[in-house]
């Protein structure tokens, strides 16, 4: 193995740059040449491929976004384009590809591996919703961002005796809502994994108010309900004053936390070593605090992480333990 390439794909996540840096510097230290592919599979099809040196990845470890850019590429769902992608990689004599992205990106990588390009994937998404890993790059940073925001919102909500509803990212997964909610002591955490009743939530808020709690915090994953619509509905139903914040993309930008920077550095190095050991069609993830390399097929068999125990704990600690909003 002489040449490898790296790309970032799907939604960006803080720590992707740290992973790119780790891939480049580990590969260089092991005598490999490295190419960076811009804009994920879209850049691959457009032949946007450039040499990456140790210098090119200087100063990026704590930068948000991804210097390689990222994209969602619909063309890559078509077989003729997938073959074209593999041919382009062969033209550059690339012997291995590191893909940094979410579950969708893994599927693209799996196809390339079947077309004769050894691939390994590093899990990168703020949602922490991938098969085969306990942790994805970017999740910790996003959770910290939400916790900081909620802490500020609680101050102003409390000053006005208002409740606060904060909509956070997570179209299909509630891990950001859950982890941030537990970390900041939210009274209510709404996630797509656990259906809830608006009516029961309204009754629970009224019961809390009766007990003197005037500033309940509701953290709502975007996949559980529309934050603004829910807030308006609750206000109409209960007459409780609720300040509403849709946090949006501030959760995805910004430099990585130390946890994500370390995770990305470790997984980047492990991905290069896995390719050198002849691994292909494999995910380089974390399991029980250790780096683990798992075939895509085996990873696919594993349930995505959703910590039901954490959800229950958050209910108890939020003192709405009767979970009467469900
Ligand atoms: P993520 O990697 O964050 O889950 P997406 O699901 O949007 O993000 O996937 C990123 C890209 O991976 C897609 O835009 C597409 O180019 C590629 N991809 C996803 N699923 C497939 C698939 N089944 N076959 C081929 N390519 C895919
Ligand atoms: O990166 C994951 C995620 O942030 C989801 O939580 C969210 O639903 C989605 O990406 C939105 O991303 P985009 O607007 O780029 O499709």
């Amino acid at each position: 193995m002489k040449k490898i390439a790296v790309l970032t794909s799907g939604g960006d996540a803080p720590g992707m740059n740290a992973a790119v840096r780790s891939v480049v510097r580990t590969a260089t230290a092991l005598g490999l040449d490295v190419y960076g592919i811009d804009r994920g599979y879209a850049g691959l099809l457009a032949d946007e491929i450039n040499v990456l040196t140790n210098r090119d990845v200087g100063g990026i470890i704590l930068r948000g976004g991804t210097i390689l850019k990222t994209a969602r590429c619909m063309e890559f769902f078509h077989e003729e384009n997938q073959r074209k992608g593999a041919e382009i990689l062969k033209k550059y004599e690339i012997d291995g590809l590191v893909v940094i992205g979410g579950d969708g990106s893994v599927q693209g990588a799996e196809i390339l591996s079947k077309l004769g390009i050894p691939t390994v994937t590093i899990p990168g998404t703020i949602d922490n919703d991938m098969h085969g890993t306990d942790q994805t790059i970017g999740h910790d940073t996003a959770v910290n961002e939400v916790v900081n925001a909620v802490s500020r919102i609680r101050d102003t909500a409390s000053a006005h005796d208002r409740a606060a509803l904060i909509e956070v990212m997570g179209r299909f997964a509630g891990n950001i809502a859950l982890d941030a909610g537990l970390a900041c002591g939210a009274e209510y955490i709404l996630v797509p994994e656990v259906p809830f009743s608006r009516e029961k939530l309204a009754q629970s808020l009224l019961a809390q108010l009766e007990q003197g709690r005037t500033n309940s915090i509701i953290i709502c994953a975007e996949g559980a309900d529309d934050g603004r619509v829910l807030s308006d509905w609750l206000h109409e139903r209960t007459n409780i004053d609720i300040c509403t914040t849709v946090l949006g993309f501030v959760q995805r930008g910004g430099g990585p936390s130390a946890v994500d920077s370390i995770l990305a550095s470790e997984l980047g190095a492990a991905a290069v070593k896995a390719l050198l050991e002849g691994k292909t069609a494999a995910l380089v993830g974390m399991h029980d605090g250790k780096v683990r390399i798992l075939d895509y097929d085996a990873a696919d068999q594993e349930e995505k992480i959703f910590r039901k125990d954490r959800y229950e704990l958050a209910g108890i600690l939020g003192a709405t333990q009767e979970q009467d909003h469900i």
Side-chain angles (χ1 to χ4, degrees):
M1 181 162 292
K2 290 200 170 68
K3 292 182 190 170
I4 66 164
V6 56
L7 63 81
T8 51
S9 167
D12 62 298
M16 280 186 166
N17 279 327
V20 170
R21 170 181 178 271
S22 174
V23 167
V24 172
R25 294 202 170 163
T26 304
T28 305
L30 294 170
L32 303 175
D33 293 333
V34 190
Y35 288 80
I37 302 173
D38 288 345
R39 297 192 306 114
Y41 299 117
L44 171 61
L45 295 181
D47 207 330
E48 294 170 18
I49 302 177
N50 303 292
V51 169
L52 272 183
T53 66
N54 278 353
R55 270 303 83 225
D56 295 324
V57 294
I60 67 168
I61 187 167
L62 292 178
R63 253 165 67 189
T66 155
I67 59 158
L68 293 177
K69 310 264 179 181
T70 184
R72 305 202 199 260
C73 173
M74 293 312 130
E75 290 83 358
F76 207 68
F77 283 88
H78 301 295
E79 224 180 292
E80 71 272 20
N81 289 327
Q82 295 161 357
R83 277 199 301 272
K84 180 180 166 191
E87 285 315 313
I88 290 173
L89 289 167
K90 285 175 189 163
K91 183 181 83 182
Y92 282 85
E93 298 179 325
I94 283 165
D95 311 305
L97 174 66
V98 178
V99 168
I100 306 169
D103 266 343
S105 303
V106 172
Q107 294 191 46
E110 185 166 22
I111 289 163
L112 286 172
S113 73
K114 286 185 179 144
L115 292 169
I117 309 291
T119 72
V120 297
T121 300
I122 297 173
T125 163
I126 61 168
D127 291 335
N128 206 27
D129 64 341
M130 289 179 68
H131 295 280
T133 185
D134 299 345
Q135 234 177 316
T136 60
I137 295 170
H139 179 67
D140 181 74
T141 310
V143 168
N144 279 304
E145 191 63 37
V146 174
V147 170
N148 285 335
V150 172
S151 158
R152 287 157 184 257
I153 291 165
R154 198 191 272 276
D155 288 346
T156 167
S158 170
H160 289 263
D161 277 340
R162 282 174 169 159
L165 188 146
I166 299 101
E167 183 194 289
V168 302
M169 276 184 159
R171 206 172 287 164
F172 305 110
N175 290 314
I176 294 177
L178 174 58
D179 292 342
L182 181 59
C184 67
E187 279 73 23
Y188 302 96
I189 299 173
L190 310 178
V191 291
E193 290 84 351
V194 187
F196 80 101
S197 147
R198 281 185 181 180
E199 180 58 35
K200 287 187 178 167
L201 175 58
Q203 294 312 320
S204 178
L205 276 171
L206 287 170
Q208 293 292 319
L209 193 62
E210 199 123 295
Q211 291 169 30
R213 190 180 284 183
T214 52
N215 62 338
S216 288
I217 300 282
I218 306 162
I219 299 200
C220 174
E222 60 183 332
D225 208 339
D226 180 300
R228 289 196 192 284
V229 173
L230 175 60
S231 220
D232 289 348
W233 188 93
L234 287 170
H235 178 64
E236 279 208 359
R237 188 79 186 82
T238 63
N239 208 28
I240 291 174
D241 197 5
I242 303 174
C243 59
T244 310
T245 309
V246 177
L247 277 183
F249 287 96
V250 291
Q251 294 161 89
R252 210 159 80 178
S257 63
V259 167
D260 278 328
S261 182
I262 292 167
L263 177 67
S265 299
E266 289 190 328
L267 295 185
V272 173
K273 288 175 190 157
L275 280 175
L276 272 173
E277 284 162 13
K279 295 259 183 342
T280 181
L283 181 85
V284 181
M286 293 298 285
H287 186 60
D288 287 343
K290 293 205 181 84
V291 174
R292 179 180 63 164
I293 297 161
L294 207 57
D295 291 345
Y296 294 146
D297 285 344
D300 224 29
Q301 299 305 309
E302 293 195 354
E303 292 284 317
K304 291 182 181 188
I305 290 281
F306 178 73
R307 294 279 304 269
K308 197 80 204 293
D309 57 328
R310 265 187 198 171
Y311 180 79
E312 284 160 8
L313 178 63
I316 294 166
L317 301 185
T320 53
Q321 69 270 37
E322 59 275 27
Q323 297 275 316
D324 50 6
H325 56 288
I326 295 172

